[in-house]
Amino acid sequence: PKTDIVFLKVHKSASSTVMNILFRFGETHNLTFAFPQGGGFQLYYPHHFLARFVQGFSPLSPQRFNILCHHMRFLQPEVQKVVPSSAVYFSILRNPVQLMESSFVYYKGASAFSRVRSLQEFLSQPWRYYDPASGDRHYARNLMTFDFGFNPDGDVSPERVQLMLKAIEASFDFLLISEYFDESMVLLKEMLCWDLDSVVSFPLNIRDSSTKSPLPDSVVEKLKAWNRLDWEIYTHFNRTFWERIDRDIGRERMRREVRALRRRQAELARACLQGTGSVAPKDIKDSSLRPLQHGGARILGYNLKQGLAQELERTCRRLVTPELQYSSLLYKKQFPPPAP
């Protein structure tokens, strides 16, 4: 199994669920994480990543970390200073239409969104609300482009787009697609030589569907145009995703693997969870399993069954521990506080 990994955690793209998979794998195999200085949760995002943002990094010592997966704005020469040269680089993408709808609800406080009532209103005159000079502009336009390190207000000519796609292909071994999450996990397992249980997950950091509403076609077209660079990245890598599956796995085997993954997840859900799945924040009984609530979204969580056997309890708890709590726990393990 590959143990040196760089995951570019793209915002609002099922990346918290992938991060949980990496946290569990790293913890099980006693791997080291490139944590933000002081145990924060982002690597000085939205600044471009620098090696010195990582706790325990020193240019004088050649120490490398196994897994880099916290939010960052990608800058490969700096990333290469903190991970082994053998590291596998991957990320996950989401359809920019749904991505921006999610971003609008989640980052409602961002300067571009704070004065509008709806996404439709924003899209009717985006330049009235969007300021390319504001420090949080990226939440409102081409968020994936930004996370990959490029300019979200950049030129959309075919030549520039090609350069950007080539640069991403040169840096990343593969990109997953959040709309095909189970297929993505099978591909991940394949690329990293992991076993099935390593890529099993329950969806984390997902919001209650009461805040979601279907978008009219006219809005969808405006969203694509406004997020043109993201749309180019997404359509290109959605295509290469399926090309890779056809080449490396084949559709028939993919279907079998997806079935096996879903069976295993259903089995674990039955063993671990009270009720049928995720619940509203107010209904989460164990406060240590309550996810951070943000913006206008209601982020769901889980309740574990009572009286589980110790080993199963541990497995179940790890599967449903929200990102911030899990990150803190692993940070304390890797950098134990000095004894009083």
Side-chain angles (χ1 to χ4, degrees):
K2 304 231 184 340
T3 52
D4 298 324
I5 291 157
V6 174
F7 171 54
L8 177 62
K9 186 174 188 289
V10 169
H11 286 77
K12 314 307 321 145
S13 303
S15 55
S16 296
T17 309
V18 178
M19 197 179 194
N20 177 275
I21 287 170
L22 295 175
F23 280 168
R24 290 186 342 247
F25 186 85
E27 186 181 23
T28 306
H29 295 84
N30 244 336
L31 304 177
T32 55
F33 289 89
F35 283 108
Q37 282 284 1
F41 303 112
Q42 301 198 338
L43 290 152
Y44 285 82
Y45 187 87
H47 300 285
H48 272 108
F49 176 81
L50 295 174
R52 62 183 169 79
F53 297 163
V54 172
Q55 176 85 37
F57 169 79
S58 150
L60 308 172
S61 90
Q63 192 208 353
R64 296 279 194 270
F65 300 90
N66 300 115
I67 299 178
L68 173 58
C69 63
H70 285 74
H71 272 308
M72 62 169 160
R73 189 172 183 207
F74 190 67
L75 186 61
Q76 192 162 18
E78 288 291 316
V79 169
Q80 286 167 330
K81 295 176 185 175
V82 300
V83 294
S85 56
S86 60
V88 176
Y89 287 68
F90 79 99
S91 185
I92 187 163
L93 304 174
R94 182 181 184 187
N95 185 315
V97 174
Q98 278 72 47
L99 177 79
M100 184 154 178
E101 189 274 332
S102 177
S103 195
F104 180 79
V105 175
Y106 203 79
Y107 302 113
K108 189 67 186 79
S111 54
F113 295 151
S114 58
R115 296 179 314 180
V116 293
R117 282 187 305 277
S118 66
L119 194 49
Q120 278 92 321
E121 189 181 340
F122 173 80
L123 289 162
S124 64
Q125 324 175 22
W127 289 107
R128 186 174 156 196
Y129 307 108
Y130 178 82
D131 175 6
S134 79
D136 61 1
R137 66 169 197 233
H138 50 283
Y139 293 124
R141 189 180 199 199
N142 290 315
L143 182 50
M144 294 191 288
T145 302
F146 183 86
D147 286 354
F148 276 95
F150 303 102
N151 176 6
D153 299 307
D155 173 16
V156 296
S157 69
E159 300 74 41
R160 294 289 309 189
V161 166
Q162 277 312 310
L163 283 172
M164 178 175 72
L165 296 175
K166 289 273 176 291
I168 295 173
E169 279 179 335
S171 300
F172 288 84
D173 296 289
F174 56 100
L175 296 183
L176 306 173
I177 302 289
S178 69
E179 282 78 13
Y180 303 104
F181 192 80
D182 293 341
E183 290 83 355
S184 290
M185 292 307 100
V186 172
L187 185 64
L188 183 69
K189 170 173 94 72
E190 199 67 14
M191 302 303 294
L192 300 178
C193 306
W194 287 8
D195 63 9
L196 182 69
D197 268 14
S198 297
V199 297
V200 162
S201 64
F202 296 149
L204 295 176
N205 205 25
I206 52 165
R207 65 186 167 112
D208 177 1
S209 56
S210 68
T211 58
K212 297 178 188 171
S213 47
L215 299 166
D217 292 350
S218 57
V219 173
V220 169
E221 289 313 312
K222 282 181 183 161
L223 278 169
K224 286 182 193 171
W226 177 248
N227 294 286
R228 175 67 191 281
L229 293 171
D230 273 10
W231 185 250
E232 295 284 356
I233 292 175
Y234 178 76
T235 49
H236 175 80
F237 287 105
N238 188 8
R239 196 179 65 246
T240 59
F241 174 79
W242 291 103
E243 286 168 0
R244 165 157 287 182
I245 284 171
D246 288 337
R247 191 182 68 231
D248 296 350
I249 300 175
R251 298 281 170 120
E252 191 38 54
R253 190 175 139 224
M254 175 54 88
R255 276 191 285 274
R256 282 200 308 275
E257 297 258 359
V258 165
R259 273 201 301 274
L261 177 64
R262 287 177 182 162
R263 259 200 314 274
R264 182 67 183 128
Q265 281 172 179
E267 221 170 85
L268 280 164
R270 280 195 300 274
C272 295
L273 304 177
Q274 286 182 32
T276 52
S278 49
V279 296
K282 64 176 178 30
D283 299 324
I284 301 169
K285 300 187 184 80
D286 180 342
S287 60
S288 70
L289 297 178
R290 215 167 274 152
L292 173 76
Q293 301 299 313
H294 199 94
R298 280 213 325 210
I299 306 299
L300 305 174
Y302 297 93
N303 284 316
L304 292 180
K305 282 188 173 160
Q306 300 295 301
L308 295 171
Q310 198 179 351
E311 195 49 42
L312 180 61
E313 211 277 342
R314 198 191 132 83
T315 300
C316 295
R317 181 166 287 276
R318 293 294 188 259
L319 277 162
V320 300
T321 299
E323 175 184 327
L324 304 190
Q325 288 93 312
Y326 207 157
S327 185
S328 298
L329 187 120
L330 293 172
Y331 177 81
K332 289 191 191 95
K333 207 168 151 182
Q334 192 167 313
F335 300 104

